[in-house]
Amino acid sequence: MRSSSLRLQLLAWVVLPLAGLATINLWTSHRSALATADLVTDRMLLGSARAIAEQVAIVDGVLDATVPPAAIEMFDTGDRDSVYYRVETAGGRLLTGYPDLPEDPKHPSMEAAYRDHVLRLLTFSHAVVGAGADSPISVTVGVTLAGHDAMVKRLWLSAFAQQLALVAIAGIFVLLGLRRGLAPLIRLRDAVQSPSRSDLDPVEVPGAQSEIRPLIDALNGYMERVRAQMAAQRRFIANAAHQLRTPLALLSTQASYALRESAAESRQEALVALQASSGRLARLAEQLLTLSRAEPGSRRPRADRVDLTEAARHVLETHAPTAIDRNIDLGLEEAGPVPVIGDGTMLREMIVNLVDNALRYSLAGGSVTVKLAAVDGEAVLTVADDGPGIPVEERDHVFERFYRIAGSTEDGSGLGLAIVREVVENAGGRVTLGDGATGGLVVEVRLPLA
């Protein structure tokens, strides 16, 4: 996709409408120039006709018409116009001039074709003392339009030059203004690309306008989130390496011990321990993978319609053998479907981790109860056990990755509740920890109801 220039776009938004307005103004200027030329020509024609009419008089009892040179010379503007005239009595008798010159009594001022030319003509009536029935006389003067058109052209070109200069000057000032106005954006670009600044440090642009300040704040906020995510990833990798180092070393030790043992019973015992360690390692790797998938941005967002009741029933069926082996009463209390919208795979993993944690920390002969209900537009999932619970001061920390309560003797990676929190928050919900009525721990998850 071709990149576009913000400077050119802003310049176009300013100059193009201005050019459109200038075009309209030029059209109106042409009409105004034409009206001005018409008015000036008509005034000259009227002056010429009046000068001719004033020279008509009774000489020796005869009506005489003499055309003064000034009446013709006033049209000598250098454009080589031709002047035509006619003087006639009230009865239509021609006194002097061109007998076929057009005239229209209804329109004293008009334009008409004459001798392969277009003339602008004006007719003027004038009373002559002593002329009797021949009075008033009618004087018609016509002139070709070379001077008229030259005047229109000069007036319009003057207006055109003014409009063009206006648009050009406006464009120059707009460019200067854009250069000054976009300077903070250029400084922002240079600050981001500068090799001298540390990676992801906040960007400061002195003199930035109020419209650009939100962009800078958003960029700094984004870099802050990226720094936090990178720090979390580094901590995750360091913790994962630490957590994997111990079981891998234990596997290596148990394998070496089994290879050294010659007694079948001792070797069998070492292999059983090796199998148990490999199972715990597999569970740890599975949880690491689940936590990685639960992190925001690691998977394409999904909007599955999931029935938490059906998902919980399936999870409990899967964990039933473990509950039976430990003589734990594993139960489900539900009143029908509880649908939510989210990533179906991750929501089921959330329930798996909650049930697995409850079974792991419950005492033999105890109970684990999973409850599901729809309350006030929310899906409420609770998992209650009768284990040792979690002290109040530790509850903010158990959602951290690899966090283990001091003194805990149960096998675990410290990832179960971290996975639960990531999944719940990605689904737009929340998770809280509480005490059971008879002791133990109650984990409550609330999600938006579909």
Side-chain angles (χ1 to χ4, degrees):
M1 181 181 294
R2 294 177 58 188
S3 60
S4 57
S5 169
L6 177 61
R7 182 182 286 105
L8 291 180
Q9 287 185 8
L10 293 176
L11 180 64
W13 275 107
V14 174
V15 173
L16 290 182
L18 185 59
L21 292 175
T23 302
I24 297 174
N25 196 22
L26 285 175
W27 178 74
T28 58
S29 296
H30 183 269
R31 292 178 62 87
S32 178
L34 185 61
T36 300
D38 288 346
L39 179 62
V40 171
T41 304
D42 288 346
R43 293 293 177 86
M44 292 174 65
L45 288 171
L46 179 60
S48 176
R50 190 185 297 276
I52 294 173
E54 289 176 350
Q55 294 299 316
V56 177
I58 301 295
V59 179
D60 298 330
V62 178
L63 192 61
D64 179 64
T66 303
V67 178
I72 305 300
E73 292 173 355
M74 66 174 59
F75 296 100
D76 187 11
T77 59
D79 297 303
R80 298 183 179 181
D81 275 316
S82 298
V83 182
Y84 303 90
Y85 57 89
R86 182 181 68 226
V87 180
E88 61 183 8
T89 65
R93 181 170 59 89
L94 179 66
L95 297 178
T96 186
Y98 300 84
D100 58 344
L101 192 65
E103 69 169 335
D104 186 353
K106 296 181 179 180
H107 299 87
S109 176
M110 67 174 186
E111 290 185 4
Y114 182 71
R115 295 188 180 184
D116 299 329
H117 297 292
V118 177
L119 304 182
R120 187 163 187 86
L121 303 108
L122 185 139
T123 301
F124 174 72
S125 296
H126 178 70
V128 179
V129 177
D134 291 333
S135 182
I137 63 169
S138 176
V139 180
T140 300
V141 181
V143 64
T144 55
L145 299 180
H148 174 278
D149 293 344
M151 185 185 303
V152 172
K153 185 177 180 180
R154 286 193 297 270
L155 291 174
W156 186 81
L157 286 177
S158 176
F160 176 78
Q162 293 175 2
Q163 298 298 323
L164 184 62
L166 177 63
V167 173
I169 292 172
I172 293 173
F173 277 104
V174 169
L175 282 175
L176 293 176
L178 289 177
R179 182 177 181 181
R180 183 177 180 85
L182 295 178
L185 283 178
I186 304 301
R187 292 198 296 270
L188 175 60
R189 179 202 64 186
D190 296 339
V192 172
Q193 295 180 345
S194 174
S196 62
R197 64 184 297 272
S198 301
D199 292 339
L200 300 178
D201 284 345
V203 177
E204 290 297 332
V205 181
Q209 298 94 333
S210 58
E211 292 81 4
I212 300 177
R213 177 57 57 184
L215 173 62
I216 299 174
D217 294 340
L219 179 62
N220 288 335
Y222 174 75
M223 290 192 294
E224 177 64 29
R225 292 194 297 272
V226 171
R227 283 199 303 272
Q229 290 181 356
M230 292 178 64
Q233 290 293 337
R234 287 193 292 267
R235 290 194 303 270
F236 176 78
I237 293 173
N239 291 333
H242 175 73
Q243 292 291 326
L244 289 172
R245 186 185 300 115
T246 300
L248 287 174
L250 180 60
L251 282 175
S252 177
T253 301
Q254 290 172 336
S256 299
Y257 179 77
L259 289 173
R260 289 197 305 269
E261 286 296 329
S262 57
E265 183 177 351
S266 298
R267 181 178 295 175
Q268 178 66 22
E269 181 179 351
L271 290 175
V272 169
L274 182 62
Q275 184 181 33
S277 297
S278 63
R280 288 192 293 271
L281 182 60
R283 174 60 179 165
L284 175 59
E286 180 182 352
Q287 285 190 310
L288 287 172
L289 180 60
T290 300
L291 183 59
S292 176
R293 291 199 303 264
E295 290 180 340
S298 61
R299 287 163 58 92
R300 179 176 297 178
R302 295 176 57 180
D304 305 325
R305 186 181 178 89
V306 181
D307 181 7
L308 289 183
T309 301
E310 183 63 29
R313 185 179 295 112
H314 178 74
V315 171
L316 265 60
E317 290 174 357
T318 304
H319 285 76
T322 303
I324 293 173
D325 289 342
R326 299 193 58 194
N327 192 26
I328 294 176
D329 180 15
L330 180 61
L332 174 64
E333 296 182 7
E334 48 91 6
V338 180
V340 297
I341 300 297
D343 190 322
T345 301
M346 301 312 298
L347 289 172
R348 282 185 283 272
E349 285 291 334
M350 172 197 70
I351 300 175
V352 167
N353 280 275
L354 288 175
V355 174
D356 182 77
N357 273 1
L359 291 175
R360 187 183 302 276
Y361 289 97
S362 291
L363 301 176
S367 65
V368 173
T369 304
V370 179
K371 296 181 181 180
L372 282 155
V375 180
D376 297 332
E378 289 185 319
V380 181
L381 166 68
T382 58
V383 179
D385 62 60
D386 55 3
I390 298 176
V392 175
E393 62 273 10
E394 298 277 359
R395 290 177 184 175
D396 289 336
H397 299 288
V398 293
F399 291 106
E400 298 175 4
R401 301 171 182 182
F402 303 108
Y403 185 83
R404 299 292 306 280
I405 298 176
S408 177
T409 58
E410 296 295 331
D411 292 332
S413 61
L415 290 176
L417 289 178
I419 293 173
V420 170
R421 184 179 65 174
E422 291 286 352
V423 174
V424 171
E425 289 182 351
N426 286 345
R430 60 190 185 279
V431 56
T432 56
L433 304 179
D435 295 321
T438 59
L441 179 69
V442 177
V443 182
E444 181 182 84
V445 173
R446 290 180 175 264
L447 297 171
L449 197 62

